[in-house]
């Protein structure tokens, strides 16, 4: 899959489209490492320094902003600003913020079957309730956290991941190892999916402070 992010001919003064992404899943599976790796990759690209990456807070919710260029399904270059929120749990008090999300990335640890089971029994149900209009991408993380030999389990196969995506009505399944190409792919696929849906009014439910 093409993970090209930058167009050398992109106009830095074009319209910036905001895509909100929520990254969810059990704690300690590598979600924060995934996000930190993506932010570092984008910080090394000169074209993206027009809009600085940062951390913003709204109603005690802290989220990261990451700008880049990406081609949509028609081949048009889009200047995108991602607002990414990493969660270990949903809170009813922040329901309106969740409802403004374009995409939810539901994560599990490929080498931890308990976190895989939690997708169907917990995270998929919570996502349908709190992020009713968001598209869902299922991602199996591998190699983002160290494990002792005694904690090694039989890995979740790609076939099982695809079947879980179908069960939970996710639009796609990706397995992401701690590699630059695969990390980019997660966010490019998420962004392109977010661009397909009608854009939500960023001022209606969420204001950056």
């Amino acid at each position: 899959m093409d993970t090209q992010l930058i167009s050398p001919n992109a106009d830095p003064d074009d319209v910036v489209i905001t895509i909100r992404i929520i990254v969810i899943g059990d704690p300690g599976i590598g979600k924060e490492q995934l996000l930190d790796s993506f932010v570092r990759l984008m910080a090394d690209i000169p074209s993206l320094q027009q809009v600085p990456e940062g951390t913003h807070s709204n109603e005690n919710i802290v989220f990261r902003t990451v700008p880049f260029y990406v081609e949509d399904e028609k081949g048009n270059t889009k200047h995108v600003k991602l607002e990414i929120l990493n969660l270990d749990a949903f809170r009813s008090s922040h329901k309106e913020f969740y409802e403004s999300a374009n995409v939810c990335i539901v994560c599990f640890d490929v080498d931890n079957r308990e976190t895989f089971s939690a997708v169907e029994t917990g995270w998929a149900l919570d996502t349908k309730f709190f992020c009713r209009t968001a598209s869902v991408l299922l991602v199996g993380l591998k190699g983002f956290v160290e494990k002792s030999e005694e904690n090694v389990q039989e890995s979740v196969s790609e076939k099982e991941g695809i079947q879980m995506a179908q069960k939970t009505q996710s639009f796609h399944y990706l397995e992401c190892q701690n590699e630059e190409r695969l990390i980019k792919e997660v966010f490019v696929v998420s962004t392109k999916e977010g661009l397909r849906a009608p854009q939500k009014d960023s001022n209606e439910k969420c204001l950056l402070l």
Side-chain angles (χ1 to χ4, degrees):
M1 184 177 294
D2 180 17
T3 55
Q4 179 65 36
L5 295 175
I6 302 301
S7 168
N9 299 319
D11 182 358
D13 295 324
D14 58 2
V15 176
V16 179
I17 301 172
T18 298
I19 302 292
R20 291 201 178 91
I21 297 176
I22 293 179
V23 182
I24 61 175
D26 285 0
I29 61 174
K31 304 192 309 297
E32 189 64 32
Q33 291 88 332
L34 171 70
L35 179 52
D36 285 345
S37 296
F38 177 64
V39 169
R40 285 196 299 270
L41 289 172
M42 297 302 96
D44 291 337
I45 301 176
S47 302
L48 300 183
Q49 294 175 4
Q50 300 289 338
V51 181
E53 181 273 334
T55 300
H56 301 270
S57 176
N58 176 47
E59 297 181 353
N60 298 319
I61 300 178
V62 177
F63 54 94
R64 310 283 287 275
T65 60
V66 184
F68 64 92
Y69 296 101
V70 67
E71 287 189 352
D72 64 13
E73 56 186 0
K74 296 181 180 180
N76 299 316
T77 299
K78 299 295 183 180
H79 190 180
V80 179
K81 181 181 69 174
L82 300 185
E83 294 179 353
I84 309 174
L85 175 64
N86 177 27
L87 290 178
D88 290 334
F90 283 110
R91 297 180 182 177
S92 297
S93 59
H94 300 318
K95 184 179 177 182
E96 287 189 357
F97 186 94
Y98 306 142
E99 289 179 342
S100 69
N102 301 97
V103 178
C104 286
I105 303 176
V106 178
C107 299
F108 66 92
D109 185 340
V110 170
D111 297 320
N112 185 329
R113 285 189 167 270
E114 290 182 3
T115 69
F116 180 61
S117 298
V119 170
E120 185 175 11
T121 60
W123 293 113
L125 299 175
D126 289 346
T127 299
K128 289 178 182 178
F129 179 77
F130 287 105
C131 308
R132 300 182 185 185
T133 62
S135 300
V136 177
L137 172 65
L138 182 62
V139 175
L141 300 176
K142 185 177 181 64
F144 285 88
V145 293
E146 295 184 1
K147 298 180 180 67
S148 62
E149 293 184 3
E150 59 187 32
N151 291 328
V152 174
Q153 303 177 18
E154 180 184 355
S155 297
V156 176
S157 67
E158 181 180 16
K159 181 179 179 181
E160 289 176 298
I162 293 172
Q163 290 174 339
M164 181 63 78
Q166 293 171 343
K167 283 183 181 179
T168 56
Q169 299 181 320
S170 303
F171 72 87
H172 195 52
Y173 170 69
L174 290 173
E175 182 175 305
C176 180
Q177 300 185 40
N178 196 359
E179 299 176 9
E180 179 177 324
R181 177 182 62 84
L182 298 176
I183 292 170
K184 288 180 179 178
E185 183 179 23
V186 168
F187 291 96
V188 170
V189 170
S190 300
T191 302
K192 288 185 174 182
E193 177 64 21
L195 288 171
R196 290 190 187 102
Q199 297 303 302
K200 302 176 184 181
D201 185 353
S202 61
N203 293 318
E204 181 178 343
K205 293 183 178 179
C206 175
L207 297 176
L208 295 184
L209 301 182

